[in-house]
Amino acid sequence: MRNAEDTLPSTVTADARGQATIRSSSETEVTAVNATGFGRAKVIPGSALPVLIVLDGHCTQFEGTIEDQSAPAGRASIETVHFFPYGTSAPAAFSARIDDANRFQGCLPNGRYFADTELDEVGGGILFDVPSPSAIAYVGTRQSASQADAPNVGSPPATASDVARSLPANVGIVALGESTHGTAEYAVERARFTLELAKSKRVRFVLLEAGLGDTLALDRYVRTGTGDVHKAVAALQFWMWDTEEFVKGVELLRQYNKKRPARERIGFVGTDVQTTAGAVSYLLDDRSTSLSDAERTALSKVPDIDDSDWSTVSEVDKRLVDDALARLAKPRRINDTRALAAASIQSRLKLVGTGTGLNQMRVRDQLMADMAVRISDGGNQLSVVWAHMGHVARRYMFGQDTMGTILGSRLGPRYVVLAMLSVSGSARAWDADFKIGVIPHTLTDAPPYALERALAVESTEPSYVMFAQLSHEMQAWLSKLRYLRSIGGVYDPDGGFTLYDVGHAFDGVVVFRRTSSSTPTPTGIRKAKAQ
């Protein structure tokens, strides 16, 4: 949903010639729209004004439909859809009417756009390209519809053990997506669930939202006990993992591994593609890695490279790096660490130049999914993902593919995703202005229409709820866009409640009545830099 200051002016419908007559008692700006374009004009009090639609002549036709979840039976309640240039804060490039069959059409220059409905409403929105290979389709709803309370039917209580045993025998990847990064209870519960899953199925890996090379020391510790767990956790570089609760979860897996032969132990592998230093160091130090002196020199320039750094590397060195990584990324066997390290560096270099914001997130999630599929051998080696739910959800309101979208399309029902939610409590995150650091914040109580509030039960233990086990009334409620709390690394003073296409995004949830802030280790403290 766009910010209030970005709202469009009042909208009227233009005729087929692209004209509209507007009268106003005060000076205002008006947008006139029809099926083929839009135009703006400033209206002077008391005037009558024809508004001419001006449309770029070099445009490509497109069409689409909207599922209006708030419409009365047989009638549309959302009248207009707007199209914004993707990745910019520019005003709408085009607007189109939605007809009685919930269809729209228009014409835009080739490029990427974000479609959304009128801005006093709440809509799923969607990213699309022009030309579009197929009709555009997305979901929209009005505020009143999205804030409807859940039916008064209780959710059946379940435990981690119940859910773990109920999952398909051939499940390939199970994702536990946290709604807030800095929550103590989530870190421990993920480890407990992973161990419950291991009782009935052979779990091979925890796929962590961290760089592959940065997880090597942690993997070595949890499998063999070698090294210092706190140093291994600090090497992950992310404050949300560098907590005492995460260390406790690691120790639970370490105790499990002590009693198992090496081939049955659970390890940690990073799927994120934001860092490369650990992977580069591994390749340079690994005695089995065959590199020429020139390749070694070129590869040493890659650690944690960003856009500006990569632009200073010579074309000769770039080719040396690309050729070496292409050779090393070919696996000699399943879970070849050398090949995985090379693949993770390749992924990071693909992320360079993608900019910031949604586009970078889209590419990052695609690369994370590729790494997850590669590590798990296409889901043949059961893995559990620990990451933010925005990554692992199959569908999110922006309409772009997430890591979970891609895993769901590749694995089908063999991909299972649960969201970890809290009705109230506190969580650590950066303060909104980045002036203090990562600190505890009080979470506003979830409103009655929020998913976590609707599915919570009175218990000090987390409640596992699988959507397929709910009543028909609850499943119907879940089929609409619903609010839930989603806070990543930065605290949202408004509570962080956002719309998700819940029924398609998740298979179930883990709901806590109350949670608390995670406890940073001495290396996990983050403070804002002095201004």
Side-chain angles (χ1 to χ4, degrees):
M1 189 175 178
R2 293 169 68 86
N3 295 328
E5 58 267 29
D6 297 329
T7 56
L8 289 170
S10 301
T11 304
V12 298
T13 303
D15 60 26
R17 296 173 298 172
Q19 295 184 334
T21 300
I22 303 137
R23 292 181 176 85
S24 175
S25 59
S26 61
E27 185 171 311
T28 185
E29 203 171 279
V30 174
T31 297
V33 299
N34 65 12
T36 57
F38 88 108
R40 287 197 182 91
K42 182 171 288 186
V43 179
I44 299 173
S47 65
L49 176 70
V51 177
L52 179 65
I53 303 301
V54 178
L55 183 64
D56 190 313
H58 304 286
C59 61
T60 301
Q61 295 288 329
F62 63 89
E63 61 182 14
T65 60
I66 178 172
E67 177 191 338
D68 182 0
Q69 294 188 342
S70 56
R75 297 182 62 188
S77 65
I78 298 175
E79 299 178 348
T80 310
V81 59
H82 304 288
F83 305 96
F84 303 88
Y86 176 65
T88 73
S89 58
F94 179 75
S95 299
R97 289 280 297 171
I98 301 170
D99 66 19
D100 291 341
N102 285 344
R103 296 172 302 192
F104 56 84
Q105 60 181 343
C107 192
L108 281 169
N110 291 354
R112 171 155 284 198
Y113 296 89
F114 180 78
D116 203 357
T117 54
E118 291 162 295
L119 301 179
D120 59 343
E121 298 168 352
V122 187
I126 194 167
L127 290 173
F128 71 100
D129 292 307
V130 174
S132 178
S134 58
I136 305 159
Y138 73 102
V139 177
T141 188
R142 288 184 181 274
Q143 187 93 7
S144 57
S146 61
Q147 293 184 352
D149 291 353
N152 188 22
V153 290
S155 57
T159 65
S161 178
D162 296 332
V163 172
R165 289 196 307 268
S166 71
L167 295 182
N170 67 340
V171 64
I173 295 180
V174 180
L176 297 173
E178 59 191 7
S179 56
T180 52
H181 272 322
T183 300
E185 288 77 7
Y186 295 169
V188 178
E189 188 61 27
R190 276 186 302 223
R192 289 175 177 164
F193 177 85
T194 301
L195 294 178
E196 287 294 341
L197 190 61
K199 289 180 180 179
S200 57
K201 299 169 180 65
R202 186 179 175 187
V203 178
R204 292 299 307 278
F205 303 110
V206 170
L207 305 182
L208 207 60
E209 188 181 335
L212 183 137
D214 301 333
T215 60
L216 294 176
L218 182 63
D219 182 65
R220 188 180 308 113
Y221 175 81
V222 80
R223 289 181 185 275
T224 68
T226 303
D228 183 297
V229 64
H230 282 88
K231 289 182 179 179
V233 168
L236 299 177
Q237 302 189 54
F238 290 111
W239 62 261
M240 72 266 198
W241 302 131
D242 202 353
T243 68
E244 297 297 347
E245 292 80 16
F246 181 77
V247 171
K248 182 178 179 180
V250 171
E251 294 291 6
L252 289 174
L253 267 64
R254 172 67 196 132
Q255 293 303 313
Y256 172 87
N257 283 342
K258 281 183 179 181
K259 304 172 185 178
R260 301 294 186 280
R263 67 180 182 278
E264 295 181 8
R265 294 174 185 172
I266 302 171
F268 280 96
V269 188
T271 62
D272 210 342
V273 295
Q274 297 184 97
T275 62
T276 57
V280 169
S281 294
Y282 176 83
L283 292 182
L284 294 177
D285 296 341
D286 179 31
R287 294 181 180 179
S288 70
T289 302
S290 177
L291 292 167
S292 69
D293 290 342
E295 287 174 334
R296 284 184 174 275
T297 300
L299 193 58
S300 67
K301 299 176 182 179
V302 172
D304 289 347
I305 201 161
D306 61 20
D307 293 14
S308 59
D309 293 335
W310 191 235
S311 66
T312 64
V313 176
S314 70
E315 292 302 317
V316 172
D317 282 344
K318 286 180 180 179
R319 284 196 297 272
L320 285 169
V321 169
D322 290 341
D323 292 345
L325 292 177
R327 185 178 72 250
L328 298 174
K330 296 176 181 178
R332 299 164 293 182
R333 57 186 177 276
I334 294 177
N335 305 129
D336 181 355
T337 303
R338 188 186 74 181
L340 291 174
S344 71
I345 300 169
Q346 287 179 315
S347 295
R348 176 66 184 101
L349 294 179
K350 290 178 182 177
L351 195 62
V352 171
T354 58
T356 59
L358 284 177
N359 189 52
Q360 185 187 64
M361 185 67 72
R362 176 182 61 84
V363 177
R364 179 185 165 201
D365 272 39
Q366 290 174 344
L367 296 170
M368 288 171 68
D370 290 341
M371 288 296 298
V373 170
R374 182 166 183 153
I375 294 164
S376 68
D377 187 27
N380 293 319
Q381 299 189 77
L382 178 56
S383 303
V384 183
V385 180
W386 296 3
H388 193 274
M389 69 181 185
H391 291 298
V392 299
R394 287 193 190 87
R395 190 178 298 180
Y396 187 41
M397 66 178 292
F398 290 121
Q400 66 180 8
D401 288 351
T402 64
M403 176 187 182
T405 306
I406 299 165
L407 292 177
S409 66
R410 294 186 185 179
L411 273 66
R414 298 178 60 225
Y415 177 64
V416 176
V417 54
L418 304 177
M420 307 186 80
L421 309 174
S422 172
V423 176
S424 63
S426 67
R428 287 172 63 236
W430 278 96
D431 60 290
D433 297 324
F434 292 92
K435 292 183 177 179
I436 305 172
V438 178
I439 57 175
H441 300 274
T442 299
L443 301 177
T444 57
D445 288 354
Y449 54 80
L451 181 67
E452 46 268 78
R453 182 72 168 272
L455 297 179
V457 297
E458 291 294 341
S459 174
T460 56
E461 296 296 315
S463 174
Y464 284 73
V465 180
M466 300 302 289
F467 294 162
Q469 304 301 316
L470 292 173
S471 66
H472 292 305
E473 292 89 346
M474 278 300 298
Q475 290 189 25
W477 185 81
L478 287 170
S479 69
K480 309 296 185 182
L481 293 177
R482 295 299 172 200
Y483 281 100
L484 50 77
R485 193 192 319 269
S486 180
I487 297 176
V490 183
Y491 176 66
D492 185 340
D494 295 327
F497 290 95
T498 188
L499 281 176
Y500 267 79
D501 189 0
V502 173
H504 293 98
F506 310 110
D507 296 292
V509 294
V510 186
V511 184
F512 295 76
R513 265 290 174 183
R514 188 172 183 82
T515 52
S516 54
S517 297
S518 58
T519 309
T521 71
T523 57
I525 297 171
R526 297 290 187 276
K527 294 183 178 180
K529 295 179 181 179
Q531 300 296 318

